[in-house]
Amino acid sequence: MNETPVRVRIAPSPTGYLHVGTARTAIANYLFARHYGGKFLLRIEDTDIERSRPELIEPILDALKWLKLDWDEDILYQSKRIETYKKYVQQLLDSGHAYRSYVTPEELDAAREKAREEKRSFSFREALVPLSEEEIKMRKDTGMGYAVRLRIPEGETVFDDIVSGRLEKKNEDIEELIIARSDGTPTYNLAVVVDDHEMGITHIIRGNDHITNTFKQIHIYQALGWELPEFGHVPLILRPDKRKVSKRLGDKDVGQYQHEGILPETMFNFLCLLGWSPKTDREIYTREELVELFDKNYFNRANAVFDDEKLLAFNHAHIQMKSDHELAVLVAPLLVEAGLTTKYWLETRWEYLRKVITVLKERAKRISDFVEMGGYFFSFDYKYDDKAEKKQFTPEAAELLTELAGRFEKLDRFDKVAIETALTALAGEKEISKARFIHPTRLAVSGVAAGPGLYDLLETLTQPVAVERMKKAAEYIRSRAQ
Ligand code: GLU
């Protein structure tokens, strides 16, 4: 690393919610800054008046905060800096690095199309040949606007990409890009360079869909006489069908994953590995470990695939790493939201919630699973699962449930050892298998056929609740038989 302290940034455009690709790039930059003891800055690229939606800025910031990508210094908003950009456009015009061009983007497209038809290579040089004085005068007189284009010198543009190594392009293949539009507003590429320079950015890590921009931006740096930062272009994120992740194809933004019960720790770990990984067999890491292990030489070069199944496996692993108390804090509001209990009830029975978490944790792949799988811990307002009911709730089961409930009722201690001993003893006396008790009991106390181990389940529910539910189920079977 060079001596200058690292300064990196993430620069989302508020044209949509925080996309997983942008979050992945943000994480790469965050790790870069935290590992090398630098600064991680945030810039909002909101100059595209047609596509920018200011109301999306807050949700983007919320998603970054949810991922705990705490940025340093003040947020820079491009929309507040138009005058600064204009100043540099003027400077480039004055120094002869930029020129007024009356060639419209449509004319450029037409020239490109013509070259294709004539099966010859397209050249910006030819297409952007300065118009004759007469032509310019004619266009001026007819009120046609002009754009300011950057002059690209002859030669080749080469840079050493942190991710992909040496990248080069002949300058004749680089468009003499527009840096200000006919109405004087500066363009995206100009604004990015001015900001990155003024923010003192040392390393620009972004998606490799920006490589074309980088070749252009290098010329803006050079024309302004500024030192180049280092560039690193991380690969794209693909869907399992190898198409690029996109909203249009129904792919989700970060906030949606949050609402589906994915932990921020999971998302951080998972997205990190889609751009950068420590080249070990291990996949599950904490944020601190990733900060520690980060090395700018380990960026992945191949495109990464976003696999939802794998994300769930990561989430399962991160759920297991959390304490029951931490999980209880996350689950509590969801239980209230689902109408299964109240805030007050939970506050006074925190220990109960913690126990519920303990028994459900092993099976939870999403935070919302605790609510989906464990509603019966909070409410008896469930219907017995149809299929299981047909199989398990036989007239014989009503008798067994009544007898077992009677035994449970008499226990002094209602822990899983005592529960198992009582059930085993009764099955022994009746010379029937334990399963004949276990399945109807589970259905009686939970309404479903699968869940945590029955003895854990009963212990957690507590003696009075378990006994009452078993008796109610027995009554229900009998009433149904009439
Ligand atoms: N605003 C750009 C984007 O959202 C980022 C550009 C950059 O990182 O230079 O893709």
Side-chain angles (χ1 to χ4, degrees):
M1 298 291 295
N2 55 25
E3 297 300 305
T4 333
V6 163
R7 287 172 71 83
V8 292
R9 56 29 170 213
I10 182 70
S13 310
T15 51
Y17 291 98
L18 190 70
H19 183 260
V20 290
T22 312
R24 185 277 315 262
T25 307
I27 291 167
N29 279 287
Y30 172 90
L31 289 172
F32 204 118
R34 296 293 172 259
H35 178 83
Y36 294 112
K39 298 268 190 249
F40 170 64
L41 309 183
L42 174 59
R43 176 167 83 225
I44 300 291
E45 305 208 319
D46 54 351
T47 42
D48 186 337
I49 299 161
E50 270 156 40
R51 294 177 59 232
S52 273
R53 292 166 54 198
E55 72 277 14
L56 294 182
I57 296 177
E58 271 315 306
I60 289 175
L61 301 185
D62 286 345
L64 291 170
K65 285 183 211 157
W66 177 70
L67 285 166
K68 298 196 186 69
L69 296 173
D70 39 317
W71 57 88
D72 302 303
E73 304 180 7
D74 291 338
I75 304 174
L76 189 123
Y77 292 87
Q78 285 194 327
S79 55
K80 297 195 180 139
R81 291 172 47 78
I82 305 294
E83 291 314 310
T84 307
Y85 307 138
K86 284 186 177 169
K87 186 184 85 189
Y88 287 110
V89 170
Q90 191 56 48
Q91 185 178 322
L92 287 165
L93 277 170
D94 293 346
S95 65
H97 286 99
Y99 62 96
R100 293 183 175 83
S101 166
Y102 287 90
V103 178
T104 64
E106 291 74 29
E107 284 172 324
L108 210 52
D109 285 344
R112 195 181 277 120
E113 188 52 35
K114 188 153 175 275
R116 193 174 309 132
E117 275 167 17
E118 292 171 4
K119 296 201 170 34
R120 55 182 178 79
S121 59
F122 167 75
S123 144
F124 285 111
R125 286 287 162 283
E126 282 171 34
L128 288 170
V129 149
L131 301 174
S132 66
E133 286 300 321
E134 259 167 84
E135 184 82 0
I136 290 179
K137 185 170 178 312
M138 192 271 282
R139 291 187 182 214
K140 259 190 191 157
D141 291 347
T142 52
M144 271 181 80
Y146 60 84
V148 178
R149 286 188 186 269
L150 189 79
R151 243 182 254 290
I152 306 280
E154 309 258 310
E156 247 189 352
T157 306
V158 182
F159 68 96
D160 285 314
D161 189 89
I162 299 170
V163 181
S164 317
R166 177 154 292 226
L167 295 178
E168 50 198 18
K169 201 168 190 169
K170 287 198 207 100
N171 285 2
E172 62 190 43
D173 294 332
I174 301 176
E175 177 178 357
E176 298 211 313
L177 66 147
I178 295 179
I179 55 171
R181 302 182 191 88
S182 47
D183 61 1
T185 55
T187 58
Y188 168 75
N189 277 305
L190 188 271
V192 168
V193 172
V194 168
D195 290 340
D196 283 333
H197 173 74
E198 293 200 348
M199 290 164 84
I201 301 300
T202 54
H203 300 79
I204 294 181
I205 312 297
R206 58 187 169 201
N208 69 11
D209 46 340
H210 283 285
I211 290 181
T212 315
N213 283 333
T214 300
F215 278 111
K216 295 176 183 171
Q217 290 176 11
I218 286 175
H219 289 280
I220 305 180
Y221 278 97
Q222 288 172 342
L224 287 164
W226 292 338
E227 198 185 322
L228 284 180
E230 285 191 53
F231 294 96
H233 294 89
V234 282
L236 297 181
I237 299 183
L238 304 178
R239 295 151 43 97
D241 63 8
K242 298 282 165 3
R243 289 203 273 178
K244 191 182 157 191
V245 166
S246 97
K247 199 111 197 140
R248 241 177 341 101
L249 296 173
D251 290 307
K252 291 172 273 192
D253 57 73
V254 171
Q256 282 168 296
Y257 285 102
Q258 173 185 1
H259 291 298
E260 286 177 12
I262 301 295
L263 290 170
E265 290 81 359
T266 305
M267 210 62 193
F268 188 95
N269 183 173
F270 182 77
L271 289 178
C272 168
L273 265 53
L274 291 188
W276 178 88
S277 64
K279 308 275 177 284
T280 63
D281 294 340
R282 235 180 98 190
E283 290 194 305
I284 304 300
Y285 294 96
T286 63
R287 166 190 311 262
E288 293 71 29
E289 286 171 328
L290 290 168
V291 167
E292 168 84 30
L293 289 165
F294 183 83
D295 181 327
K296 73 184 178 94
N297 299 314
Y298 284 178
F299 277 110
N300 300 342
R301 285 185 176 198
N303 285 338
V305 175
F306 193 107
D307 177 348
D308 277 302
E309 282 303 312
K310 195 164 174 182
L311 177 70
L312 280 186
F314 271 54
N315 206 41
H316 178 259
H318 277 279
I319 287 175
Q320 310 314 309
M321 284 156 71
K322 283 211 170 286
S323 74
D324 294 345
H325 174 74
E326 285 171 313
L327 291 170
V329 170
L330 297 170
V331 173
L334 302 185
L335 288 168
V336 176
E337 209 175 286
L340 287 164
T341 180
T342 61
K343 201 163 163 258
Y344 174 76
W345 194 94
L346 286 175
E347 273 165 11
T348 51
R349 292 173 182 80
W350 195 254
E351 193 49 28
Y352 177 69
L353 174 59
R354 227 183 43 74
K355 276 196 188 149
V356 170
I357 300 281
T358 313
V359 297
L360 292 177
K361 194 168 166 177
E362 209 182 292
R363 302 165 68 91
K365 288 185 176 169
R366 296 184 167 96
I367 292 301
S368 45
D369 284 351
F370 287 99
V371 181
E372 257 160 55
M373 299 188 315
Y376 56 81
F377 280 109
F378 303 92
S379 150
F380 185 47
D381 194 17
Y382 50 77
K383 275 191 67 196
Y384 303 110
D385 176 75
D386 259 355
K387 227 171 105 200
E389 183 185 327
K390 285 202 184 83
K391 195 159 164 215
Q392 306 299 345
F393 278 1
T394 58
E396 186 214 23
E399 298 312 313
L400 298 179
L401 282 170
T402 309
E403 269 192 76
L404 186 59
R407 296 284 172 106
F408 284 169
E409 220 167 7
K410 294 202 192 73
L411 293 176
D412 296 333
R413 275 186 19 245
F414 198 68
D415 59 28
K416 62 183 187 180
V417 176
I419 294 168
E420 180 171 9
T421 310
L423 188 148
T424 310
L426 186 58
E429 286 165 33
K430 299 182 95 59
E431 297 184 347
I432 59 173
S433 75
K434 290 201 273 186
R436 301 262 284 277
F437 285 102
I438 290 177
H439 298 305
T441 303
R442 173 188 294 289
L443 186 61
V445 301
S446 71
V448 285
L454 181 69
Y455 310 128
D456 281 320
L457 171 56
L458 292 169
E459 178 185 326
T460 309
L461 273 173
T462 71
Q463 190 171 25
V465 175
V467 168
E468 189 195 346
R469 288 186 184 186
M470 288 167 72
K471 287 185 179 172
K472 283 207 169 131
E475 262 171 48
Y476 167 79
I477 300 172
R478 290 193 191 103
S479 71
R480 209 191 43 180
Q482 280 156 17

